[in-house]
Amino acid sequence: MKKASFNLKNKNIIITGGFGFLGSQIANALVNEKANIYIIDIKKPKKKTTGKYFQSDITNESELIKVLNFFKMKKIKIDALINNAAIDYPPSKSKKKILKLETFSNELWEKDISVSLKGSYLCTKIFGSYMSKFNKGTIINISSDLGIIAPDQRIYKKSDFIKPVTYSVVKHGIIGLTKYTASYWGEKNIRCNAIAPGGIFNNQDNSFVKKLNQLIPLRRMAKKNEYNGLILFLCSDLSSYLTGSVIVADGGRTII
Ligand SMILES: NC(=O)c1ccc[n+]([C@@H]2O[C@H](COP(=O)([O-])OP(=O)(O)OC[C@H]3O[C@@H](n4cnc5c(N)ncnc54)[C@H](O)[C@@H]3O)[C@@H](O)[C@H]2O)c1
């Protein structure tokens, strides 16, 4: 039997939010597998980056169409799309008031839904349609353990923080988008799966980390490189019969 390999050399992979905390990890892992990376991010990279990047806003359809035209003009097939960009709210003291449900503003609601849900829908629509013409492609959506369960606000109490309602809504919504896309483009051989990662350790407040660890069977947060293998697997043909799935990678948090 042939040895299993990711075989991602020269695969063309778009990743949104590729300059962020998780996105840059994923991008590096893919570059190590010799894939061609195309990052779409609203901000510029802090340091020199390998691969091509587009400074574009995923909520702006005409900016995304310009990105698509680049692929069309250069006759580059898109093998995979990773919908990773979202507005994340790490625990921080100052935001409690504006993030409380009682005083949550419609502006913030619209902004969060727009970036974290509409952005993924637009990228799916625009790049997925292009992929469907080639009858092959894979889309990976980044949800969260909070796309499966509700946040436990008690763990943020000492940091005087509230996890906002929009985070639950968008992360559950991403799973809906995943199932819809998988079903809709199944006949075009476009696979679409989601991962639901648990919280990644990033020097968060000690008391928050301690409380969160108690809710996780593995008793720790994820290391920042612990999702790389899953992403490589989902981008590759090793996952060729997987579509519409939600892979929950959360140290077991959502089973208890
Ligand atoms: N960090 C965690 O612990 C964790 C856990 C579970 C899930 N997630 C999910 O992983 C993904 C990445 O999270 P992260 O922690 O790396 O966040 P991050 O804030 O570090 O990265 C997000 C990236 O998206 C970009 N972005 C924001 N708005 C954009 C827009 N309109 N257009 C284009 N790019 C835009 C940002 O510039 C940034 O580079 C998110 O979907 C998040 O919900 C993160």
Side-chain angles (χ1 to χ4, degrees):
M1 206 176 118
K2 226 179 120 200
K3 201 174 147 230
S5 132
F6 293 121
N7 261 335
L8 294 174
K9 190 171 176 194
N10 292 331
K11 296 285 179 202
N12 301 310
I13 301 178
I14 296 179
I15 169 160
T16 67
F19 296 139
F21 179 54
L22 179 61
S24 54
Q25 277 298 317
I26 295 173
N28 283 338
L30 289 164
V31 167
N32 287 341
E33 293 296 317
K34 303 199 166 40
N36 302 323
I37 293 303
Y38 300 87
I39 287 176
I40 301 176
D41 202 302
I42 201 161
K43 68 182 182 198
K44 283 189 176 153
K46 282 200 190 111
K47 49 183 187 201
K48 203 174 165 287
T49 127
T50 39
K52 182 155 182 73
Y53 81 91
F54 304 90
Q55 192 179 3
S56 317
D57 179 351
I58 55 163
T59 69
N60 185 323
E61 188 159 16
S62 56
E63 286 187 21
L64 294 176
I65 288 172
K66 278 189 198 147
V67 176
L68 177 68
N69 286 340
F70 163 87
F71 286 92
K72 280 185 169 169
M73 270 169 55
K74 299 254 177 192
K75 296 196 165 48
I76 301 173
K77 201 175 124 220
I78 300 170
D79 296 292
L81 162 69
I82 304 173
N83 282 315
N84 162 75
I87 298 182
D88 202 1
Y89 288 89
S92 98
K93 282 202 173 189
S94 54
K95 298 210 186 88
K96 183 172 178 179
K97 198 152 179 225
I98 55 166
L99 297 181
K100 279 179 76 166
L101 185 56
E102 292 87 339
T103 47
F104 204 77
S105 72
N106 294 339
E107 287 74 25
L108 206 51
W109 169 272
E110 265 141 36
K111 184 174 173 225
D112 287 354
I113 303 288
S114 181
V115 175
S116 308
L117 206 46
K118 182 183 167 194
S120 293
Y121 141 74
L122 283 178
C123 288
T124 300
K125 172 180 155 185
I126 291 165
F127 303 118
S129 300
Y130 182 63
M131 287 156 97
S132 75
K133 295 199 176 112
F134 297 91
N135 286 303
K136 188 161 193 302
T138 175
I139 300 173
I140 299 156
N141 293 328
I142 311 295
S143 178
S144 164
D145 52 0
L146 298 182
I148 312 282
I149 54 169
D152 183 339
Q153 302 290 356
R154 290 171 299 183
I155 65 174
Y156 307 108
K157 241 188 181 136
K158 217 165 174 192
S159 329
D160 213 16
F161 175 78
I162 302 265
K163 198 77 177 176
V165 59
T166 40
Y167 201 72
S168 278
V169 172
V170 300
K171 292 300 163 186
H172 280 75
I174 285 291
I175 291 175
L177 177 67
T178 302
K179 292 179 185 173
Y180 184 94
T181 309
S183 160
Y184 188 84
W185 274 327
E187 62 181 12
K188 297 278 183 187
N189 197 27
I190 302 296
R191 299 185 294 111
C192 181
N193 294 287
I195 70 164
I200 307 166
F201 181 70
N202 189 16
N203 299 312
Q204 291 93 337
D205 178 85
N206 222 354
S207 97
F208 162 78
V209 174
K210 264 192 178 160
K211 281 191 188 141
L212 177 55
N213 288 350
Q214 285 312 307
L215 301 177
I216 302 173
L218 289 181
R219 295 288 182 267
R220 63 175 179 85
M221 296 180 76
K223 296 175 195 153
K224 60 183 181 182
N225 62 1
E226 278 187 299
Y227 301 113
N228 292 353
L230 202 48
I231 297 286
L232 297 179
F233 169 69
L234 288 173
C235 283
S236 79
D237 286 345
L238 291 179
S239 57
S240 53
Y241 201 57
L242 204 72
T243 198
S245 293
V246 183
I247 302 187
V248 184
D250 63 351
R253 175 163 183 204
T254 56
I255 60 165
I256 54 171

